[in-house]
Amino acid sequence: MRRAHTVEQVRRAEGELVGRLPEGALMQRAAHGLATAVADLLGASYGARVLLLVGGGDNGGDALYAGAVLARRGTSVQAVLLSERTHEAGLDALRRAGGRVVAPDGARRPDVVVDGIVGIGGRPGLRPEVAQVLAGLAGVPVVAVDVPSGVDVDTGRLAGAHVRADVTVTFGTHKVAHLVDPAAEAAGVVHLVDLGLDLPEPVIEALQAEDVAALLPRPGPFDHKYTRGVVGVRAGSAAYPGAAVLCTSAAVSGLAGMVRYLGSAADAVRARHPEVVVSEGRVQAWVVGSGGDADAEQALADALADGVPAVVDADALAHLAPHPDASRGLVLTPHAGELARMLDVEREEVESDQLGWARRAAAAYDEVVLLKGRHTLVAHPDGRVRATTSGVPWLAVAGAGDVLAGLVGSLLAAGLEPYDAASVGSWLHGAAAALAADGGPLQASGVADAIPATVRRLLG
């Protein structure tokens, strides 16, 4: 599992470790990890050109020491000092290894830029003169030290100019900005260098394949369709019958024992999935709202009246009132626009502070909120958050949300708690999309069809 911590948590852990190590040992560990990542990106470091953009904090020191390591391997290393304060020991190490300090307009165009401008304690945004230096290096691959300079580390927000990295080398643990968009998108590929920190509970988690496999419900030798869980689907409408088909396609993928469908798209559902039961009956969880149109309000009322867990999606979200005093075991699955309407704010506000608004919504409704996006966030009312990083850009297609709702509903019916069902379902959804896309475009129905194969790979 990837775990992300706040700046305060990291600094406290680093302070405790520094007291047990020789002076400078922690920075040397970080610098060697950074140098290795830069060399990997270069492919052949001998004769390559690296430019260090050096600020006044420890990140600047990491960059300088890493530059010294690269220079000793035959790399041409230049450094631009962007602060009146410089890590003197790191600068001395770079010079002794053959590296040079140059003015911004005197640097040769490098093969790789190392962003050591602002560390995890820096404020969001960059000074105009620093942004100008970066603009002059447009098109050169960037390796960021710990986080891309200019992002808000503890929230994932962006405020003004910032670095866009191809690779970010972080130390000790992931930070919130590595997992939460929009900052996470600016971090590129994140490489973690273990420093042996003794860290507290993380503020954000990101499930990995082994975590999902451990949480996934599996049938026992004496299970039958009812003990494995029955998921009910109230989705689709005269205008959007395909939503019902896509939702039941995911629900019927085999993670629950049986699927019931109630709605106006029964003929379309039966034609695609003869195993779906179209009749009233007991269920362990409902999925409601996907493509619901004018039918969504009544479908939601009927589903909630059953008193079982439910996934509330799409059109049904508009008819759900906040209920902050008693959770009903729901998973709410809005995209940014829907969440904005639920909280009466602008969509742009949600997109710029996804972590903050997902947490606010979970608290306001006292339910698990799954905020769909490039890195989907699953927020629990108690403040816990998981980020999903398994998806691919091709997943941005019509109907993908209907598939996700059906998948999460099947996991609820199979017995997972709402927070786990949403987290596991979101991860499987992204992984199935990656499998179905195979590097190219996909359709939502292909994502649903790929769920069984994704689970087989996971458990194999």
Side-chain angles (χ1 to χ4, degrees):
M1 185 179 295
R2 293 179 183 171
R3 295 173 170 84
H5 293 81
T6 65
V7 172
E8 182 181 354
Q9 288 175 318
V10 172
R11 283 185 162 169
R12 187 179 298 120
E14 286 179 345
E16 292 172 356
L17 182 59
V18 164
R20 303 195 299 269
L21 294 174
E23 184 177 356
L26 200 61
M27 184 169 283
Q28 290 296 332
R29 287 185 190 178
H32 278 81
L34 175 60
T36 298
V38 173
D40 287 345
L41 184 61
L42 287 167
S45 56
Y46 187 84
R49 296 188 299 274
V50 171
L51 179 65
L52 313 176
L53 301 182
V54 182
D58 285 347
N59 275 35
D62 294 334
L64 290 165
Y65 276 121
V69 173
L70 292 166
R72 288 195 293 269
R73 297 176 183 175
T75 304
S76 173
V77 181
Q78 296 183 328
V80 173
L81 306 183
L82 297 172
S83 172
E84 294 180 359
R85 183 168 58 90
T86 304
H87 193 285
E88 292 298 334
L91 182 57
D92 181 61
L94 176 67
R95 283 176 165 150
R96 284 189 285 105
R100 296 191 303 117
V101 174
V102 297
D105 58 359
R108 294 175 299 174
R109 190 162 181 85
D111 299 306
V112 169
V113 170
V114 175
D115 161 30
I117 304 167
V118 180
I120 60 174
R123 295 178 180 176
L126 296 172
R127 303 193 315 272
E129 60 270 26
V130 174
Q132 186 175 358
V133 172
L134 287 167
L137 294 166
V140 179
V142 176
V143 176
V145 182
D146 223 356
V147 292
S149 293
V151 306
D152 193 323
V153 180
D154 279 348
T155 69
R157 299 180 64 183
L158 299 177
H162 61 277
V163 169
R164 297 188 65 85
D166 297 272
V167 176
T168 295
V169 182
T170 195
F171 311 114
T173 181
H174 288 83
K175 284 71 179 180
V176 174
H178 298 139
L179 298 180
V180 175
D181 281 329
E185 195 272 333
V189 177
V190 180
H191 174 68
L192 176 64
V193 176
D194 185 14
L195 298 179
L197 301 181
D198 184 12
L199 291 157
E201 285 298 307
V203 293
I204 295 182
E205 298 175 330
L207 299 182
Q208 303 301 293
E210 59 272 18
D211 307 307
V212 175
L215 288 168
L216 202 66
R218 309 181 198 187
F222 300 107
D223 270 323
H224 50 76
K225 62 187 178 184
Y226 296 113
T227 59
R228 291 192 60 207
V230 180
V231 56
V233 176
R234 296 179 182 269
S237 59
Y240 305 109
V245 174
L246 291 168
C247 191
T248 53
S249 294
V252 82
S253 60
L255 294 172
M258 178 176 162
V259 179
R260 291 188 186 277
Y261 176 77
L262 295 175
S264 59
D267 290 343
V269 169
R270 268 190 294 236
R272 179 74 165 83
H273 297 294
E275 61 269 52
V276 173
V277 176
V278 181
S279 70
E280 297 273 0
R282 290 189 62 185
V283 300
Q284 278 68 56
W286 282 106
V287 181
V288 58
S290 305
D293 200 32
D295 300 339
E297 184 174 11
Q298 187 59 52
L300 176 64
D302 292 340
L304 295 181
D306 253 6
V308 298
V311 177
V312 182
D313 185 40
D315 297 318
L317 291 166
H319 304 290
L320 186 71
H323 200 269
D325 299 321
S327 172
R328 294 163 285 190
L330 308 182
V331 176
L332 316 185
T333 58
H335 55 57
E338 290 163 340
L339 189 68
R341 289 190 290 273
M342 290 164 62
L343 297 175
D344 195 23
V345 298
E346 296 298 319
R347 179 176 185 140
E348 292 74 17
E349 293 181 69
V350 173
E351 290 175 333
S352 66
D353 185 14
Q354 296 174 35
L355 176 61
W357 289 110
R359 278 181 166 150
R360 289 184 186 96
Y365 283 81
D366 198 25
E367 306 290 357
V368 170
V369 171
L370 185 158
L371 175 57
K372 292 179 280 196
R374 190 189 75 100
H375 280 190
T376 289
L377 299 179
V378 177
H380 192 283
D382 66 10
R384 287 177 290 160
V385 177
R386 285 175 178 160
T388 301
T389 60
S390 60
V392 292
W394 294 110
L395 186 52
V397 294
D402 306 329
V403 172
L404 175 61
L407 176 54
V408 174
S410 68
L411 292 165
L412 274 179
L416 290 189
E417 293 297 316
Y419 187 58
D420 287 337
S423 306
V424 170
S426 178
W427 191 95
L428 285 175
H429 187 246
L435 180 61
D438 194 25
L442 55 75
Q443 297 174 325
S445 57
V447 179
D449 293 342
I451 293 171
T454 302
V455 173
R456 282 195 295 273
R457 289 188 175 197
L458 190 66
L459 301 181

